[in-house]
Amino acid sequence: MAKQPAEYIWFNGEIKPWKDATVHVMTHAIHYGSSVFEGIRAYKTPDKGTCVFRLQEHNRRLFDSAKVYRMTIPYTLDQVNEATLDIIRKNDLQSAYIRPIAFYGDIGMGLQVPFGQETELTIAAFEWGAYLGEEAIKNGVDAGISSWNRLAANTMPTGAKAGGNYLSSQLISMEARRHGYGEGIALDRNGYISEGAGENIFVIRDGVVTTTPKTAAILPGITRDTVMTLLRDMGYEVREENIAREAMYLADEILMCGTAAEVTPVRSVDGIAVGNGGRGPITEAVQEKFFGLFNGTTEDKWNWLTPVYE
Ligand code: PMP
């Protein structure tokens, strides 16, 4: 194993030592990508201690992803929420990245096999810093448009966060890094902007904020919803509309967001500077609101924080 970032993993209802949380090589999900998962963060806040951010929405999406693939997770949403809190406590974490994953285990070969079978469920929680780097949060990432398109709507559902979808993300992200970019952004099959390898995209021009619609082959992110809500609360107009590639070149500001990437400015696209080539004022203001939820300067009007240690 590369490293052991935490002591324990929640595995099918049991707390297991990290090194013992293993599966068989014939695990269905390894062969066929038959898993659905979430990425969730917990932050240390000054008033409520360690809190999970939007726990209910993330685990609800886990169940939604499972439903799309006709998977049965043998627990209730409340049980998964409780297990998520449990594994953070068990590892005694102050902040965490949390990875619940439901998958078909060693149930036999074949694509028809899963029908009627229950999934396994594991939840890992460990410390994880800024995904695109601390520097990027401040100064932005250089992004490149990928030669790989996102999935067409009638091929695989991008609204379900399934393991198999991440082969697309890996191609986008590997190509971007090979070309010297910090992250890759893909177009959808209609040629409009879709999303980053693991992030949704917002484009700002003349004070109007636009993000790509749910029909642009995106995973509709919970951070995307957070950023839209915060911007509207700050008085900005936020549109969900198709975004043409050249709008990226002509934007005053671009930001990308996701649970791992949090809220990160994009400072160039395909080598063309976005605005003045740094972090723009609206991006900075919404970052301040976003991180303010965790450092206590933004009031949690929406009840997005669930305390871990009561
Ligand atoms: N798109 C993709 C492909 C992702 O993997 C993610 C990260 N889960 C996102 C968007 C952002 O989603 P969220 O804000 O819910 O983490």
Side-chain angles (χ1 to χ4, degrees):
M1 188 183 321
K3 56 180 179 168
Q4 181 182 320
E7 287 278 306
Y8 301 105
I9 290 191
W10 191 98
F11 199 150
N12 294 334
E14 283 175 56
I15 303 282
K16 288 202 171 182
W18 184 280
K19 65 174 176 32
D20 297 338
T22 55
V23 295
H24 196 270
V25 291
M26 295 312 288
T27 291
H28 198 273
I30 298 177
H31 296 252
Y32 304 121
S34 50
S35 66
V36 293
F37 69 96
E38 272 306 312
I40 313 175
R41 275 193 193 266
Y43 292 88
K44 182 152 198 230
T45 73
D47 298 333
K48 295 183 182 165
T50 299
C51 290
V52 179
F53 186 56
R54 306 197 69 172
L55 173 67
Q56 174 74 14
E57 292 91 331
H58 277 285
N59 281 335
R60 183 179 176 212
R61 187 172 65 186
L62 179 75
F63 280 86
D64 284 349
S65 299
K67 187 171 185 183
V68 170
Y69 284 99
R70 302 164 196 272
M71 287 178 166
T72 305
I73 299 174
Y75 302 95
T76 65
L77 176 53
D78 284 349
Q79 284 173 325
V80 176
N81 286 342
E82 203 40 56
T84 306
L85 298 171
D86 264 0
I87 196 61
I88 302 169
R89 293 184 195 123
K90 192 73 193 169
N91 284 306
D92 199 21
L93 297 168
Q94 299 304 300
S95 67
Y97 182 82
I98 306 134
R99 168 54 54 85
I101 182 163
F103 60 96
Y104 288 126
D106 181 15
I107 56 172
M109 295 293 285
L111 300 173
Q112 297 297 326
V113 165
F115 289 110
Q117 303 252 14
E118 290 181 342
T119 67
E120 313 223 9
L121 179 70
T122 83
I123 311 174
F126 47 91
E127 304 253 1
W128 206 26
Y131 174 68
L132 296 169
E134 282 298 337
E135 207 263 341
I137 299 251
K138 240 190 171 159
N139 299 319
V141 286
D142 299 305
I145 303 293
S146 183
S147 66
W148 294 101
N149 286 338
R150 274 299 195 198
L151 297 155
N154 59 353
T155 57
M156 274 164 58
T158 60
K161 194 170 168 63
N165 289 13
Y166 284 79
L167 289 170
S168 158
S169 291
Q170 286 175 59
L171 289 170
I172 293 162
S173 147
M174 286 190 296
E175 182 186 61
R177 278 166 183 83
R178 200 161 51 79
H179 291 162
Y181 296 120
E183 187 56 296
I185 295 171
L187 305 178
D188 67 15
R189 288 291 292 127
N190 297 315
Y192 295 112
I193 300 296
S194 174
E195 61 178 350
E199 307 86 10
N200 293 119
I201 304 287
F202 286 74
V203 172
I204 303 163
R205 183 166 160 119
D206 295 336
V208 176
V209 185
T210 308
T211 190
T212 59
K214 287 181 183 170
T215 46
I218 66 168
L219 176 75
I222 289 159
T223 321
R224 171 184 179 273
D225 180 74
T226 303
V227 168
M228 288 199 290
T229 304
L230 292 174
L231 282 167
R232 285 180 179 144
D233 195 56
M234 292 156 73
Y236 289 102
E237 181 186 346
V238 184
R239 298 180 183 163
E240 290 174 76
E241 278 174 11
N242 283 326
I243 297 174
R245 181 171 182 162
E246 66 273 23
M248 306 287 275
Y249 303 153
L250 302 176
D252 298 329
E253 303 180 36
I254 298 176
L255 67 84
M256 46 175 46
C257 67
T259 298
E262 298 170 299
V263 180
T264 301
V266 176
R267 68 179 171 197
S268 72
V269 177
D270 296 338
I272 299 177
V274 176
N276 62 10
R279 171 168 63 179
I282 298 175
T283 303
E284 189 169 353
V286 77
Q287 277 186 315
E288 201 177 310
K289 285 280 176 196
F290 177 78
F291 291 111
L293 288 160
F294 318 125
N295 67 28
T297 59
T298 303
E299 187 201 340
D300 178 21
K301 287 194 254 181
W302 304 273
N303 251 317
W304 284 335
L305 298 173
T306 304
V308 176
Y309 305 97
E310 294 276 25

